[in-house]
Amino acid sequence: MKISKITSKIAGAVFIGIGVYLIVFTEFRNAGFGALFIGILTLLIINPETVEDKVATAELESNVKPMHDLLSDLNVMGKGVMVAPNNNLKNTRVFVPAGKELRALPDLYDEMVIVAGGAGRLGVSLVPPGKPIYDEALSRLDTTMSDIEGAREVMGMLSHGLDMAKSFSVREEDDLLKLRITHGRYDDYCARVMERSEGICEKTACPICSSYLMALTESIGSPLAIKEFEKEGKHVKYDLEVLE
């Protein structure tokens, strides 16, 4: 089975993002230029129509590891919050608090990466790793994304149009939104990500789960805090709290 162009987009975008971060915000400029070069090479040269599934999943998996290492090096320990566009923010971001508990959600801006606000508002604001997948799904639909039904429409495209998962469900229960994603072809990839990048599912999520979380937060227009995460067989489950 061949993959669509979306995998190369994910690989290129993630490497470029990491490269820019390393060049601008750290002293590891050589590594940053290397990542930037790989990202550009992936976007411009690699022909995704000839990439096999095992190569595609390897690319997805390798793109998660640098994100995990970055958060580990910065000692960022909190669970992620998906923040939809608002008056200050043009594009959705995932905010990961530095501490284990989210004391208060800071005001985020598109140019922010390291957030150093007062009252415990310390953390990292990143472009969700699933943005290229989400954008591809959204481009194939005509939806207003104004409610959960809009989110379900996008998730349907992610699952059945882009083959990111076998199925999904989203429901409200006990003041939480419960999202379940059932993996198909990417189940082995999911297991390896959890093993090699421990905790990433609760911080930024991998590109696949991140795209579903983006669909949900943009549909309701409110931040979604990850409260609980669980993998049960081929099912990935998120408990999400809507923040006002």
Side-chain angles (χ1 to χ4, degrees), residues 132 189 240:
Y189 155 77
L240 306 160

Side-chain angles (χ1 to χ4, degrees), residues 162-180:
L162 300 183
D163 199 22
M164 291 292 106
K166 183 177 180 180
S167 62
F168 70 92
S169 67
V170 57
R171 57 189 174 85
E172 298 181 67
E173 182 181 311
D174 300 328
D175 297 323
L176 296 173
L177 288 176
K178 293 182 175 285
L179 171 65
R180 186 179 74 176

Side-chain angles (χ1 to χ4, degrees), residues 101 139 234:
E101 298 295 330
S139 71
K234 291 191 174 184

